[in-house]
Amino acid sequence: MESEPYGIFEPLSKHYQFLALDPPGLGDSAPPLNGYDTANVSKVMAEAIHDHLKDRPYHLIGHDVGGWIAYPWAAQFQSRIKSLSILDASVPGFLPQLQFPLPHPTNMRLWQFSFNALPELPEILTRGRERELLTWFFKLKTVHADAFSKDHFERYIQAYSRPGAMSRGFEYYRAFGTSAKQNLEFAKTPLDIPVLALGGASSVGSDMIHLVRNFATNVSGGAIHDCGHFLPEEQPSAVARRLLEFLDANQSE
């Protein structure tokens, strides 16, 4: 959901019709009307999809912030969903409790959760420096930074350099606490649909399975090897293969 993982679109499109969505406020989508908490955002997106699909059930896949959104989406509309796949996403409400100062490796992986949630300061420090920020961020978060083509990378720069675009991204982090409380309430009724949890081996890795078991009972998955945070771009063939195996195993009439 978060990015443009063309590398997995082609193999998936040979077997499934799919819709690739920008979350509200990101990419080319308009901001949400009632806040960036993921219960609200997921409801808006689900209702739009349901208008398009009518009564047909569907598989749901989310990466990063898309994964944040996909869980409350499934929690609110489980009867419509065949399966859920979450790729390398620290879903609000289910991160381990942390003590400060953070160990350096943890800080390098999670610094943005604190920084992005601050009022005003992120905009002050990043305005006009979107290229520098994203270049540094992608280098930090990937094992294979060259997985992003020049055109793909420039598309990110273009999207986040538009007026207000960085602020709209920060708002998801500013709503993180609210989203976490919503998710903990949803988790009182665990999902029983099949859930695939995949993490990059140099990012969340197989810990994705442990995270997802906080809110789902039928969980499979693991680590994608030789991969950082951006699974669809860094290891598109491996990710597409795992997704297709999972989707095919959970396809119904």
Side-chain angles (χ1 to χ4, degrees):
M1 288 180 178
E2 183 194 34
S3 59
E4 300 173 313
Y6 300 114
I8 69 171
F9 282 3
E10 183 177 358
L12 292 179
S13 69
K14 294 178 180 179
H15 302 270
Y16 293 91
Q17 179 189 35
F18 64 89
L19 303 173
L21 308 178
D22 285 327
L26 304 182
D28 295 321
S29 293
L33 294 177
N34 296 312
Y36 286 82
D37 59 276
T38 53
N40 173 60
V41 167
S42 61
K43 188 172 185 290
V44 170
M45 297 179 74
E47 290 174 347
I49 290 296
H50 296 168
D51 286 345
H52 177 78
L53 294 177
K54 306 305 180 185
D55 294 326
R56 286 180 290 166
Y58 54 92
H59 300 284
L60 181 62
I61 303 170
H63 170 242
D64 193 77
V65 172
W68 300 9
I69 295 167
Y71 166 58
W73 181 330
Q76 294 175 95
F77 301 99
Q78 184 173 186
S79 64
R80 299 294 306 269
I81 297 171
K82 297 179 181 181
S83 75
L84 170 65
S85 298
I86 299 182
L87 312 182
D88 214 85
S90 298
V91 180
F94 308 108
L95 290 175
Q97 293 296 312
L98 301 173
Q99 292 185 341
F100 290 85
L102 296 177
H104 180 69
T106 304
N107 192 42
M108 291 294 285
R109 189 160 66 87
L110 299 179
W111 64 272
Q112 70 271 21
F113 285 86
S114 296
F115 176 77
N116 290 0
L118 293 170
E120 301 178 359
L121 185 63
E123 285 88 343
I124 292 170
L125 296 180
T126 62
R127 188 176 298 115
R129 301 188 63 83
E130 295 85 2
R131 180 178 298 275
E132 290 81 357
L133 172 66
L134 293 178
T135 299
W136 184 87
F137 186 80
F138 287 163
K139 183 178 179 180
L140 172 70
K141 292 284 187 175
T142 56
V143 172
H144 298 284
D146 58 356
F148 293 88
S149 69
K150 182 178 180 181
D151 288 345
H152 192 167
F153 180 71
E154 290 300 324
R155 179 69 181 90
Y156 272 108
I157 302 301
Q158 179 187 39
Y160 280 102
S161 296
R162 294 184 305 164
M166 290 296 293
S167 288
R168 291 189 289 273
F170 296 143
E171 290 298 335
Y172 278 93
Y173 290 84
R174 291 166 180 157
F176 193 92
T178 299
S179 299
K181 292 178 182 177
Q182 294 166 344
N183 287 346
L184 290 171
E185 192 64 29
F186 290 138
K188 292 178 180 179
T189 305
L191 299 177
D192 58 14
I193 57 173
V195 182
L196 180 67
L198 297 176
S202 295
S203 185
V204 182
S206 59
D207 285 345
M208 278 301 305
I209 294 177
H210 304 300
L211 184 151
V212 171
R213 282 178 176 159
N214 286 294
F215 55 78
T217 58
N218 183 3
V219 184
S220 60
I224 299 294
H225 298 295
D226 196 29
C227 188
H229 170 63
F230 291 93
L231 278 66
E233 290 87 353
E234 293 187 71
Q235 294 292 349
S237 296
V239 172
R241 182 174 63 253
R242 294 291 295 271
L243 285 172
L244 286 171
E245 290 172 354
F246 177 71
L247 299 180
D248 290 347
N250 294 288
Q251 184 71 340
S252 60
E253 296 297 329

